[in-house]
Amino acid sequence: MMCDQCGERQATIFLTKVVNGEKNEMHLCKKCAEEGQNSFFEDISLVNILANLSGGTPRVRQPEETLVCPNCGFSIERFRREGRVGCEQCYRHFAAELTPVMRKIHGSLQHTGKRPGAPVRQSASTEKTQAAQMTDLRQRLKAAIKGEEYEKAAMLRDEIRALEATTGGAKK
Amino acid sequence: MSVWEITGPGNDIVVSSRVRLARNLAGMPFPPAMRPGQGDEITQKVLTGVQNREEFNGYRFLQLRALDETNRIELVERHLASTDLLRNPDVGGILLSQDETVALMINEEDHLRIQGLLPGLQIMEAANRALNAEKAVEQVCPFAFDETLGYLTSCPTNVGTGMRASVMVHLPALKLIGMLKPLIDSVVKAGLAVRGIYGEGSEALGDMFQVSNQITLGATEEDLATTIQAVCGQIVDREQTARDALLHSKRLEVEDRLYRSWGILKHARTVSSKEFMQLLSDARLAVGMKLVDDVTQTDLNKLMIAVQPAALQKHAGRELTVEERDIIRANYIRSALNK
């Protein structure tokens, strides 16, 4: 068998590379193997492993592969090359590619550890309380109008307006 | 005062315990996508945020661009900075507690890497220190967080807890009896990583290894720390058994080797960095086996940090050639051990 690299000398070294179950064989002569001048000797860095996990064996790129995060301008190509993303929104925009990668690395996709502390959680629960409060006020207003308690209804209306003002008045 | 001057539990076999938490400020691009000026903006946000908080009393800020190469590398030698941080010399910085057990690296691969570092086997306490600092920063700088994926990081390998817990263990006896490889294999099978002394890709100098968690998503901080603590506890037991076995079956050979190394350390006139780490390994083993009792493991830890290349140059106040360094290193070791 002749060397796959130079095609001149007898191949004496046989290499097998398996990436994601895809088998790839190379037959090299001693000289070419020593020089290592072929893509077979890629740097097996974490980045390349990540890229390979995401199915990024350097083939012909399809058009949709030039995905770019609208928030930070980071491209999916750059993730494949460097194994890094550019911002928190990349996780959403590149989800199709990142999700299987993360599943392979961590064996899980659900965070179970620490969550942002008191202030953040408080604001979330305050929001909930405000929404519940609003529903309650509206129901009471409805009932007041139905029962022709106009004085009470005016007070409830003012309360609703005040609450709308603190939540940014989004809900009318 | 530094971490390396404190005596820790299990110091004979465990050098140190470290926890790092990766965090990014919400709404800002991560370091790989930052535009000029944004690195300084991150630093300012963090420094302004923490300046009036009592959790950060006595902290000092070291800006990489204000330090020369020697001083930067010396921070890596003391395990206060990572080699990755030094790749961002224009924007990188460290916010450092007085006793140096807590260090916040700014603008490494993520906006923040919050580190708790302690001598000996005390990974829980190291985690607590890092988490306390993290909670305090979070009050003033909200972090990028996703309900499902947890804390978001530049590299998907760190999402979730963003936590990397690692313990530096010294395993000379397991190496001598040829049991190191099977042990490392079983630790890797348990889902942990084993690396050299300065982290990823670094050589296992002086029979020292870092054992750390691989996954960061799906387990809680406590689970991760508990696993590391338990696995390292087992590693310590095996190393201790190997030490006892060596003393029992090959006492003369072991004593001969360790006392020879001890003699070289105390009398040599030139010692390279690599040779020193091997001699230090023997010295640590000799102290652990109670063959040498005029120094402690803490003395040896301090010595290890003090004679690294950048530390020697910092001490000398100038750049030194390799030959000069080896001579000064030998002098330093002699004066430290022949008190």
Side-chain angles (χ1 to χ4, degrees):
Chain A
M1 188 180 292
M2 297 310 275
C3 171
D4 291 342
Q5 192 72 20
C6 60
E8 289 168 13
R9 287 173 291 269
Q10 197 67 28
T12 53
I13 292 161
F14 301 88
L15 293 169
T16 309
K17 180 166 77 167
V18 181
V19 175
N20 289 348
E22 200 179 310
K23 208 168 151 191
N24 195 352
E25 282 184 10
M26 271 296 249
H27 314 102
L28 299 171
C29 67
K30 195 164 174 278
K31 191 161 180 282
C32 288
E34 275 168 5
E35 285 171 357
Q37 291 170 327
N38 67 77
S39 62
F40 212 80
F41 298 100
E42 279 171 50
D43 170 27
I44 307 172
S45 65
L46 177 67
V47 170
N48 278 320
I49 290 170
L50 275 179
N52 286 333
L53 277 178
S54 66
T57 26
R59 289 191 205 99
V60 184
R61 300 267 182 244
Q62 282 151 21
E64 81 263 14
E65 287 184 310
T66 51
L67 195 63
V68 169
C69 170
N71 183 53
C72 69
F74 221 75
S75 69
I76 192 86
E77 299 287 334
R78 216 174 141 193
F79 163 69
R80 286 178 190 143
R81 228 172 31 238
E82 300 172 17
R84 307 282 183 274
V85 297
C87 74
E88 49 200 290
Q89 290 189 29
C90 288
Y91 279 94
R92 201 147 46 82
H93 296 294
F94 303 157
E97 181 142 345
L98 284 174
T99 305
V101 171
M102 288 187 290
R103 188 182 287 122
K104 273 182 195 164
I105 296 169
H106 301 285
S108 162
L109 286 173
Q110 181 61 55
H111 175 59
T112 57
K114 180 193 168 289
R115 311 169 65 75
V120 179
R121 221 179 285 159
Q122 210 170 44
S123 76
S125 67
T126 315
E127 215 171 273
K128 222 176 196 169
T129 325
Q130 280 174 343
Q133 225 178 325
M134 188 67 88
T135 318
D136 179 50
L137 284 172
R138 287 215 170 101
Q139 273 170 0
R140 281 165 63 198
L141 177 65
K142 233 179 189 172
I145 294 168
K146 210 174 173 184
E148 298 183 354
E149 299 172 72
Y150 296 116
E151 214 171 339
K152 193 179 170 187
M155 272 167 61
L156 287 166
R157 184 202 57 205
D158 291 342
E159 269 188 65
I160 290 171
R161 281 191 184 152
L163 192 61
E164 275 178 345
T166 63
T167 54
K171 290 160 200 159
K172 288 263 154 134
Chain B
M1 190 69 183
S2 97
V3 176
W4 306 103
E5 292 167 43
I6 310 168
T7 303
N11 236 343
D12 273 336
I13 294 172
V14 181
V15 183
S16 60
S17 299
R18 183 183 77 194
V19 167
R20 277 183 188 159
L21 301 168
R23 293 291 186 267
N24 287 286
L25 272 55
M28 295 286 287
F30 299 163
M34 283 192 309
R35 291 183 294 278
Q38 284 182 319
D40 285 343
E41 203 181 314
I42 297 288
T43 306
Q44 274 318 308
K45 277 190 177 171
V46 174
L47 293 185
T48 319
V50 305
Q51 69 181 355
N52 292 320
R53 294 197 68 96
E54 59 175 329
E55 293 94 334
F56 295 97
N57 274 347
Y59 275 62
R60 62 202 159 98
F61 177 63
L62 305 169
Q63 195 164 29
L64 286 194
R65 62 174 178 247
L67 300 174
D68 64 18
E69 185 83 4
T70 303
N71 279 285
R72 288 177 203 164
I73 298 173
E74 199 244 354
L75 290 169
V76 177
E77 293 174 351
R78 280 154 68 200
H79 298 268
L80 301 176
S82 63
T83 45
D84 272 349
L85 185 72
L86 301 202
R87 292 202 185 99
N88 299 337
D90 298 336
V91 291
I94 305 173
L95 191 60
L96 195 57
S97 75
Q98 217 155 21
D99 63 2
E100 303 188 348
T101 59
V102 180
L104 288 81
M105 281 186 264
I106 304 178
N107 292 325
E108 201 231 34
E109 184 184 289
D110 294 294
H111 294 150
L112 285 171
R113 286 282 169 94
I114 302 168
Q115 168 175 293
L117 174 68
L118 289 169
L121 184 56
Q122 39 184 343
I123 202 73
M124 297 295 185
E125 181 54 23
N128 284 338
R129 293 201 185 198
L131 283 162
N132 285 339
E134 189 263 359
K135 281 178 207 153
V137 180
E138 191 165 55
Q139 309 267 318
V140 286
C141 301
F143 296 133
F145 181 81
D146 177 87
E147 287 299 320
T148 311
L149 293 174
Y151 290 96
L152 301 176
T153 52
S154 287
C155 186
T157 53
N158 295 322
V159 291
T161 56
M163 175 165 139
R164 205 60 73 179
S166 73
V167 172
M168 206 200 297
V169 286
H170 178 230
L171 309 175
L174 285 168
K175 187 180 168 193
L176 278 173
I177 64 166
M179 288 303 288
L180 197 56
K181 204 181 168 300
L183 177 92
I184 290 177
D185 288 347
S186 65
V187 171
V188 170
K189 268 195 196 125
L192 301 179
V194 182
R195 299 194 172 95
I197 186 166
Y198 292 111
E200 221 167 307
S202 72
E203 221 179 321
L205 286 172
D207 309 320
M208 291 190 198
F209 303 88
Q210 275 188 47
V211 178
S212 61
N213 58 301
Q214 289 269 38
I215 66 153
T216 55
L217 178 63
T220 66
E221 291 78 5
E222 206 186 336
D223 293 340
L224 295 173
T226 311
T227 306
I228 294 275
Q229 179 88 19
V231 170
C232 288
Q234 284 189 34
I235 294 176
V236 166
D237 287 347
R238 292 198 194 168
E239 169 68 17
Q240 193 57 57
T241 308
R243 290 181 183 191
D244 295 343
L246 273 177
L247 270 186
H248 194 254
S249 63
K250 294 188 172 169
R251 188 168 193 111
L252 184 71
E253 289 101 309
V254 171
E255 281 190 355
D256 185 58
R257 171 179 165 162
L258 300 185
Y259 282 127
R260 276 168 187 274
S261 294
W262 188 236
I264 294 173
L265 266 179
K266 286 179 92 164
H267 299 288
R269 265 33 188 182
T270 162
V271 177
S272 76
S273 175
K274 201 166 178 180
E275 184 187 10
F276 168 74
M277 288 307 283
Q278 198 45 59
L279 294 170
L280 177 80
S281 175
D282 286 350
R284 284 190 60 98
L285 185 57
V287 172
M289 287 177 155
K290 311 217 164 19
L291 299 177
V292 166
D293 60 7
D294 43 351
V295 298
T296 63
Q297 301 291 12
T298 310
D299 293 331
L300 294 176
N301 284 350
K302 278 194 294 190
L303 183 64
M304 171 175 77
I305 300 299
V307 304
Q308 296 300 319
L312 286 176
Q313 301 193 73
K314 189 181 170 182
H315 195 247
R318 67 184 174 90
E319 260 193 52
L320 303 167
T321 65
V322 175
E323 290 76 19
E324 282 178 318
R325 241 164 30 203
D326 293 352
I327 294 167
I328 293 176
R329 179 177 296 114
N331 291 344
Y332 192 103
I333 298 167
R334 281 205 315 280
S335 68
L337 297 183
N338 291 305
K339 267 176 193 158

